[in-house]
Amino acid sequence: KQAQVDAERHNTTTMNSGTGIQELMAAETRASQIVAEARIARGDRMKQAQVDADELIAAYRLEQQDAFDKKANADGGSGNNASAKLQAETNAEVQDMQGQFHQNAQKAVDVLLSKCCEVSLEVPSARIRSTQKIYGK
């Protein structure tokens, strides 16, 4: 009779441990689903935040452009004078840079050619020693 009770206890314990493993696997699956859902929700929130930020930026940009246009119109013709002055300064600087380029172009070519054509036929002593070590001389 004792052997029969022990056998029943063993079968019950085995069934309980099998059920426990199944419960653990189900809990792990559910946890994976929760994590995946949270990642998707986070991605959706990030996309919505980007859309909202883009809308705010566009509204701010429009507001600032309107303020700039109003100020430029309020100044009247001075905007054109400032633009013409800026254009004249830019053209003068471009002319100056082009002059410097033409003045120094030949010098730059000469330096590059001298460095390209300059070949030293002397073998450094360190190279000689390392070659001797490699070939055992």
Side-chain angles (χ1 to χ4, degrees):
K1 180 154 181 148
Q2 181 63 29
Q4 187 180 11
V5 170
D6 287 341
E8 286 179 17
R9 282 186 187 161
H10 178 71
N11 286 340
T12 305
T13 304
T14 304
M15 292 180 99
N16 284 342
S17 72
T19 305
I21 291 173
Q22 289 176 350
E23 288 176 5
L24 283 173
M25 290 178 69
E28 183 179 347
T29 302
R30 180 66 186 137
S32 296
Q33 290 172 347
I34 291 170
V35 168
E37 290 170 2
R39 285 184 180 149
I40 291 170
R42 180 175 153 246
D44 292 343
R45 286 193 310 271
M46 292 295 287
K47 288 177 186 174
Q48 185 60 43
Q50 182 66 43
V51 168
D52 293 345
D54 289 342
E55 289 173 1
L56 284 172
I57 290 169
Y60 180 75
R61 181 174 286 141
L62 183 63
E63 178 185 317
Q64 293 299 312
Q65 185 65 43
D66 288 342
F68 176 77
D69 291 342
K70 285 179 186 176
K71 181 159 176 40
N73 289 337
D75 289 344
S78 66
N80 287 337
N81 290 340
S83 176
K85 181 179 177 184
L86 179 61
Q87 186 65 39
E89 288 176 3
T90 302
N91 288 339
E93 289 178 8
V94 167
Q95 291 295 326
D96 185 42
M97 284 188 247
Q98 286 177 343
Q100 289 176 0
F101 170 77
H102 290 298
Q103 181 181 4
N104 295 320
Q106 189 57 45
K107 291 178 187 175
V109 170
D110 291 342
V111 168
L112 290 173
L113 285 175
S114 72
K115 293 300 176 185
C116 290
C117 296
E118 187 178 290
V119 177
S120 175
L121 298 177
E122 182 179 319
V123 178
S125 60
R127 174 68 58 108
I128 293 170
R129 285 191 304 269
S130 67
T131 305
Q132 287 173 346
K133 285 182 184 178
I134 292 172
Y135 295 109
K137 291 183 179 181

